[in-house]
Amino acid sequence: MISNFVIEHALNSEMDPLLQALFQYIDQLSLPETPYITGRPPISKKSLLKCFFLKTYFSIDSLRQLVETLDRFGYFRRICGLKEVPHLSTFSRAGKWFREQGFSTFNARLLKDLGVRYPKIVIIDLYVTPKQFL
């Protein structure tokens, strides 16, 4: 089910400043694109990443609901840079790609651009036997 929050943004054609800043950042990234050889032209990874941010931003539960939202509201398609809504399987493949390769690269780049250093973390796992508490 699409929330009133999503509908309100789509009807008013207003973009939240945080979402706008994220989309501008994504536009500046250099993500590897699949070259067009045969078949349908590939969808830009930047556009797909923007769609995934919309999914998170509006707390959309599933990829199917994301596709329905993009299909129903042309405004969201436009701000993501899509002319038409990609098939559900396209989002599934893109999600897999971002999980396997893209997200860690994107996350590292975002942290670097924000000036955040990776903290040194040490985890110690202690096993305490019940006798130690007696």
Side-chain angles (χ1 to χ4, degrees):
M1 182 170 169
I2 299 171
S3 71
N4 290 336
F5 184 62
V6 176
I7 294 171
E8 181 182 324
H9 275 276
L11 295 177
N12 294 334
S13 296
E14 62 183 40
M15 189 186 305
D16 183 274
L18 174 63
L19 198 59
Q20 187 173 11
L22 282 169
F23 281 15
Q24 287 173 351
Y25 181 82
I26 291 169
D27 287 335
Q28 296 172 3
L29 292 175
S30 58
L31 294 174
E33 297 292 343
T34 307
Y36 174 65
I37 299 170
T38 60
R40 290 183 170 205
I43 307 294
S44 164
K45 286 190 174 58
K46 290 180 184 181
S47 293
L48 292 169
L49 187 57
K50 289 177 183 180
C51 291
F52 284 114
F53 269 109
L54 273 181
K55 180 181 180 298
T56 302
Y57 184 78
F58 289 118
S59 300
I60 298 172
D61 293 331
S62 67
L63 291 178
R64 187 172 309 281
Q65 285 181 336
L66 175 63
V67 169
E68 290 170 3
T69 302
L70 291 170
D71 194 40
R72 183 171 175 194
F73 301 107
Y75 171 70
F76 293 132
R77 274 194 315 274
R78 285 191 301 279
I79 66 172
C80 289
L82 299 171
K83 293 180 183 175
E84 56 186 44
V85 181
H87 190 269
L88 179 64
S89 63
T90 302
F91 284 108
S92 181
R93 283 191 304 276
K96 181 180 178 186
W97 184 84
F98 283 121
R99 278 189 306 276
E100 290 176 352
Q101 301 172 18
F103 184 75
S104 60
T105 302
F106 172 74
N107 188 38
R109 176 70 187 256
L110 178 61
L111 291 175
K112 180 182 174 191
D113 289 349
L114 294 175
V116 177
R117 292 184 178 192
Y118 289 105
K120 293 180 181 179
I121 299 174
V122 176
I123 298 175
I124 301 173
D125 185 17
L126 297 175
Y127 177 75
V128 180
T129 62
K131 290 181 183 178
Q132 290 174 323
F133 287 110
L134 297 175

